[in-house]
């Protein structure tokens, strides 16, 4: 029996009492931890719903315009709207695929599929994918890729996904009319890939949280999984990811990929 009396003077607890107190403390810790996980989950579901809801509404609107028939009956009459629907759909797929990969990573089901790949080709593909989004914001994407890069053994889809996440972030945080640079260079036994923007930069306060799952700062849009996932993917390749950012000047995200012995 433990008697916690609220007396001012100190008293010594018996070994049994200490054991009981430790047990109670452990139970409280479990409850607190559960609550944190629950809170994180609800925040995640809220942002996810928001992220998927907005593009779905945008698609719905575009489809409604097409269906009124006001634009005409032939494909050319509404092709612009169809392209919008397609592009928004791609965005949704990216969000969904990010979540799936995080789930696979965390449940130990994730496997990278390694093969010899060309970084220049991957960058070309990712830039092509992101171009419509960039055009819409009047942002240009400039490539600065060293011409004689060796091929490397990587999972080209997953590395493409990292670059797309970084370009996506840069687009989200760059002002209309600005440019984003995607570069790649060889440094010793690594290829360093860099995505730069001249947006608002990352505040000191947020710098330490940027690679966390669901960073806690107030965001307008985003599930907060992109950088977390990118870090996992880069590290699964034996690489590193980091950034340099200055408030008011812009941000550059870098990641390295080892050039394997067989390349
Ligand atoms: N290029 C950037 N410039 C400024 N802030 C950035 C940039 N990239 C990422 N961030 C910050 O890092 C946070 C986490 O990014 P990310 O993991 O991709 O999640 P999301 O894009 O879904 O918010 C963003 O919400 C944003 O605050
Ligand atoms: Mg992102």
């Amino acid at each position: 029996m433990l008697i916690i009396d609220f007396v001012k003077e100190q008293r010594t607890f018996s070994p049994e009492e200490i054991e009981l107190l430790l047990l109670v403390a452990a139970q409280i810790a479990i409850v607190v931890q559960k609550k944190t996980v629950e809170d994180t989950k609800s925040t995640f579901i809220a942002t996810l719903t928001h992220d998927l809801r907005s593009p779905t509404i945008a698609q719905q609107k575009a489809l409604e315009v097409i269906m009124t028939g006001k634009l005409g009956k032939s494909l050319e009459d509404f092709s612009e709207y169809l392209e919008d629907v397609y592009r928004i759909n791609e965005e949704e797929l990216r969000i969904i695929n990010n979540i799936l990969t995080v789930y696979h990573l965390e449940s130990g089901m994730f496997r990278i599929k390694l093969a010899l790949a060309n970084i220049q080709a991957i960058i070309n593909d990712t830039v092509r994918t992101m171009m419509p989004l960039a055009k819409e914001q009047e942002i240009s994407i400039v490539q600065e890729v060293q011409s004689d890069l060796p091929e490397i053994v990587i999972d080209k889809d997953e590395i493409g996904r990292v670059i797309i996440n970084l370009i996506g972030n840069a687009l989200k945080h760059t002002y209309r009319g600005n440019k984003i640079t995607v570069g790649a260079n060889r440094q010793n036994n690594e290829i360093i890939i860099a995505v730069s923007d001249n947006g608002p930069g990352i505040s000191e306060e947020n710098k330490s949280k940027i690679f966390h799952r669901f960073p806690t700062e107030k965001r307008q849009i985003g599930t907060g999984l992109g950088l977390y996932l990118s870090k996992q993917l880069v590290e699964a390749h034996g690489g590193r990811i980091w950034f340099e950012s200055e408030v008011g000047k812009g941000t550059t995200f870098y990641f390295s990929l080892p050039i394997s012995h067989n390349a």
Side-chain angles (χ1 to χ4, degrees):
M1 176 67 167
L2 170 71
I3 301 159
I4 300 179
D5 37 7
F6 293 93
V7 282
K8 291 256 161 47
E9 64 268 25
Q10 295 212 328
R11 76 170 176 92
T12 30
F13 290 99
S14 71
E16 292 77 27
E17 283 178 318
I18 290 175
E19 203 177 314
L20 187 60
L21 280 171
L22 286 175
L23 213 69
V24 172
Q27 291 301 317
I28 294 174
I30 290 171
V31 172
V32 170
Q33 201 175 25
K34 263 196 182 152
K35 169 98 175 69
T36 316
V37 171
E38 287 306 315
D39 285 353
T40 313
K41 270 191 191 159
S42 336
T43 314
F44 175 60
I45 291 171
T47 40
L48 176 62
T49 315
H50 174 265
D51 279 13
L52 286 180
R53 192 168 182 270
S54 331
T56 307
I57 292 173
Q59 288 185 84
Q60 186 86 355
K61 285 201 175 132
L63 288 172
E64 269 167 23
V65 174
I66 295 172
M67 284 162 73
T68 58
K70 279 184 197 150
L71 296 168
K73 295 273 178 240
S74 70
L75 197 59
E76 299 88 73
D77 299 330
F78 50 77
S79 64
E80 210 178 294
Y81 279 75
L82 265 191
E83 273 164 31
D84 278 352
V85 173
Y86 183 82
R87 186 188 50 70
I88 300 166
N89 204 278
E90 267 187 338
E91 251 172 79
E92 283 182 338
L93 258 183
R94 266 199 294 280
I95 297 175
I96 293 167
N97 284 335
N98 272 354
I99 294 165
L100 263 182
T101 308
V102 166
Y103 172 73
H104 284 157
L105 274 165
E106 292 186 350
S107 57
M109 294 192 309
F110 179 75
R111 300 278 173 273
I112 46 175
K113 295 177 218 72
L114 296 176
L116 210 53
N118 180 304
I119 284 291
Q120 173 74 72
I122 296 173
I123 291 179
N124 287 345
D125 279 354
T126 54
V127 169
R128 201 176 307 128
T129 305
M130 298 308 273
M131 210 41 123
L133 206 64
K135 262 199 193 138
E136 204 174 75
Q137 295 175 242
E138 290 160 34
I139 291 169
S140 53
I141 306 180
V142 179
Q143 290 192 40
E144 282 174 7
V145 180
Q146 195 180 317
S147 57
D148 52 349
L149 288 180
E151 292 205 310
I152 50 175
V153 178
I154 51 174
D155 187 323
K156 70 175 173 44
D157 293 339
E158 301 304 346
I159 293 305
R161 194 210 299 265
V162 173
I163 301 172
I164 282 180
N165 274 322
L166 296 180
I167 298 177
N169 280 349
L171 283 174
K172 248 198 278 188
H173 298 282
T174 300
Y175 308 109
R176 213 168 186 74
N178 278 1
K179 71 164 191 190
I180 288 168
T181 309
V182 184
N185 278 292
R186 181 179 187 154
Q187 276 175 29
N188 303 319
N189 269 331
E190 290 179 322
I191 291 179
I192 312 283
I193 292 140
V195 178
S196 310
D197 66 63
N198 39 16
I202 301 169
S203 68
E204 283 306 318
E205 193 207 337
N206 286 323
K207 278 184 176 166
S208 60
K209 298 188 228 150
I210 230 73
F211 292 109
H212 291 184
R213 228 183 131 152
F214 328 132
T216 47
E217 77 151 325
K218 200 170 105 252
R219 296 190 313 267
Q220 330 88 311
I221 194 164
T223 41
L225 285 178
L227 289 177
Y228 168 79
L229 177 61
S230 300
K231 185 170 191 293
Q232 310 280 322
L233 292 174
V234 168
E235 287 174 358
H237 282 83
R240 295 162 290 124
I241 185 165
W242 70 99
F243 63 88
E244 284 164 8
S245 183
E246 208 177 319
V247 173
K249 293 237 166 101
T251 305
T252 302
F253 274 89
Y254 301 91
F255 69 93
S256 65
L257 291 170
I259 298 170
S260 38
H261 36 275
N262 53 357

